[in-house]
Amino acid sequence: MSGVRVLVAGASIAGPAVAHWLRRRGAEVTVVERAADLRPGGQAVDARGITKEVIRRMGLDAAVRAARTETAGAHTVDRDGAVLTTFSAEDDGGDGFISEIEILRGDLSRVLYDDTRDGVEYLFGDRIAELVQDADGVDVTFAGGEKRRFEVVVGADGLHSGLREAVFGPRERFVRHLGHVLAFYTVPNEFGLDRWLLDHREAGRSAGLRPIPDPTRAMAMFSFPAGDFDVDFRDVAAQKRLLRERMDGMGWLSAEILAHVDDAPDFYLDQVAQVVMDSWSSGRVVLLGDAGFSSSPMSGQGTGLALVGAYILAGELAAAGWEPKVGFARYEALMRPFVEANQEMARLNARSREVDAPDTLFDGDWLPELIERAINGVDLPDYAGLPDAGPSRATSPTITG
């Protein structure tokens, strides 16, 4: 065992994933999460290409597949519900518009937590209040008052990362909005939804329903253009008012779906945004996932970037003998082309939703090459010869409805 003490901020997906690999490489890992518990539900996330290989190396393939939404595919529909186009989960070898491995964010978070909870310390209901670096470590003061010292600190606390702001500067320097807002929440499945996602789009807006593991419920999805979004991401009541205003007059089943918004316990709304930074590390602090390189939900690859990044970050730190400067540099060199390809895909997708988007936006021989880089754009090192404690015991996932 290395005895290196690593603090990870954030217990959604990137945090528990990097905790898995850091533990296997011999580090003593603590994960701090400001929420009192894991957040259930959330939007569906996908695993494509090399991300599936990382899940296999984690020993979690069976657990992840058991928690899938089992979505068979997607229908785009007109205002009357007539099917316009169909996409199958079997398209492109399972790496298409609807991926073979699609899972609710909260269910994947639970799988990762169940996998790591016996070998990793989790501190829920707390956060980093202050940290001071020196040449040999980082002194951390938690909001609860406790003080500890770590050799490495990993920020995996999402798009609105408090650690990024504390160490690298205000969010305005790094967050790039793509001009759209997304909203998700669960509703009673009174719409006859089976295993097929339904999606309706008009005038730059979209409304949709997707199946979830609980067949009595469904996930509502909305998007609308909003370059002037200025609602506090913590003010849920204001967010719901905004959603109603911007979706007013939308056809299909939109009014019926919106009728459930006040009863939704898991409502989520936020801008579609990317995080663009010249460097993901500063001294002994490094960023992972959306905190450092959000590609936005428009890429469909945020989970892939988090899981692949977690594998590479832990591997390169261990390969560098836990020397942060060396490990962080190699991590960034391997990951940045992969990140940039996914951010480019997301920007194109956001542009395609605009009312005046040209029909030829995706024309060209370059598109298949960009998609390949966005799905398989990293040669995964095998890290042969590094310490490896092996996967944790496989646990059956606790599925949220």
Side-chain angles (χ1 to χ4, degrees), residues 105-139:
R105 183 209 55 77
D107 289 344
L108 179 56
S109 177
R110 173 62 64 178
V111 168
L112 294 169
Y113 171 71
D114 286 348
D115 167 68
T116 53
R117 62 185 178 185
D118 290 341
V120 171
E121 179 188 24
Y122 280 86
L123 305 176
F124 286 98
D126 209 343
R127 60 181 175 83
I128 299 170
E130 183 182 5
L131 77 171
V132 179
Q133 300 191 57
D134 58 40
D136 301 314
V138 186
D139 291 315

Side-chain angles (χ1 to χ4, degrees), residues 19 25-26 35-36 49-50 71 75 82 112 122 136 138 147 162 167 183 205 258 262 289 294 327 331-332 338 342:
R25 301 303 179 202
I50 58 170
T71 301
H75 299 306
L112 294 169
Y122 280 86
D136 301 314
V138 186
K147 297 182 179 181
V167 176
R205 300 180 294 175
L258 284 167
D262 285 333
S294 169
Y331 154 68
E332 185 160 341
F338 187 40
N342 279 285

Side-chain angles (χ1 to χ4, degrees), residues 127-361:
R127 60 181 175 83
I128 299 170
E130 183 182 5
L131 77 171
V132 179
Q133 300 191 57
D134 58 40
D136 301 314
V138 186
D139 291 315
V140 174
T141 302
F142 294 99
E146 186 177 3
K147 297 182 179 181
R148 296 204 210 173
R149 185 169 175 82
F150 300 89
E151 279 72 51
V152 174
V153 176
V154 180
D157 49 343
L159 178 66
H160 302 291
S161 171
L163 183 62
R164 184 187 64 228
E165 184 159 2
V167 176
F168 297 85
R171 68 190 304 275
E172 291 77 13
R173 289 188 192 173
F174 312 114
V175 177
R176 307 286 185 267
H177 300 296
L178 300 187
H180 295 268
V181 168
L182 296 179
F184 304 89
Y185 57 95
T186 53
V187 297
N189 186 10
E190 59 187 37
F191 307 98
L193 195 71
D194 51 17
R195 296 180 58 219
W196 288 83
L197 180 152
L198 301 177
D199 181 51
H200 172 63
R201 300 185 184 187
E202 58 180 66
R205 300 180 294 175
S206 71
L209 289 167
R210 68 159 63 246
I212 61 176
D214 179 357
T216 69
R217 308 283 292 176
M219 182 68 66
M221 309 174 296
F222 290 99
S223 75
F224 55 88
D228 57 344
F229 179 83
D230 60 358
V231 178
D232 186 337
F233 70 90
R234 297 185 183 91
D235 189 344
V236 175
Q239 293 171 10
K240 290 180 177 180
R241 288 195 299 271
L242 177 67
L243 178 63
R244 288 193 193 91
E245 292 169 3
R246 297 301 177 94
M247 301 309 296
D248 185 50
M250 184 76 169
W252 186 54
L253 298 171
S254 301
E256 291 89 336
I257 300 170
L258 284 167
H260 293 286
V261 69
D262 285 333
D263 302 323
D266 54 356
F267 181 85
Y268 170 88
L269 180 146
D270 207 347
Q271 277 183 304
V272 176
Q274 296 183 338
V275 174
V276 180
M277 305 181 70
D278 292 334
S279 175
W280 304 328
S281 64
S282 176
R284 291 178 171 269
V285 177
V286 65
L287 301 175
L288 173 68
D290 284 354
F293 41 79
S294 169
S295 59
S296 88
M298 292 288 185
S299 74
Q301 280 284 98
T303 295
L305 292 177
L307 294 181
V308 174
Y311 173 76
I312 291 175
L313 174 57
E316 293 303 325
L317 270 173
W322 302 97
E323 172 53 49
K325 183 176 181 180
V326 177
F328 293 167
R330 182 60 180 162
Y331 154 68
E332 185 160 341
L334 286 169
M335 281 294 295
R336 189 168 284 277
F338 187 40
V339 167
E340 290 176 347
N342 279 285
Q343 291 187 331
E344 184 177 352
M345 280 298 306
R347 290 191 293 268
L348 283 168
N349 190 8
R351 178 75 178 93
S352 73
R353 291 171 178 251
E354 297 174 5
V355 176
D356 61 349
D359 293 337
T360 57
L361 186 64

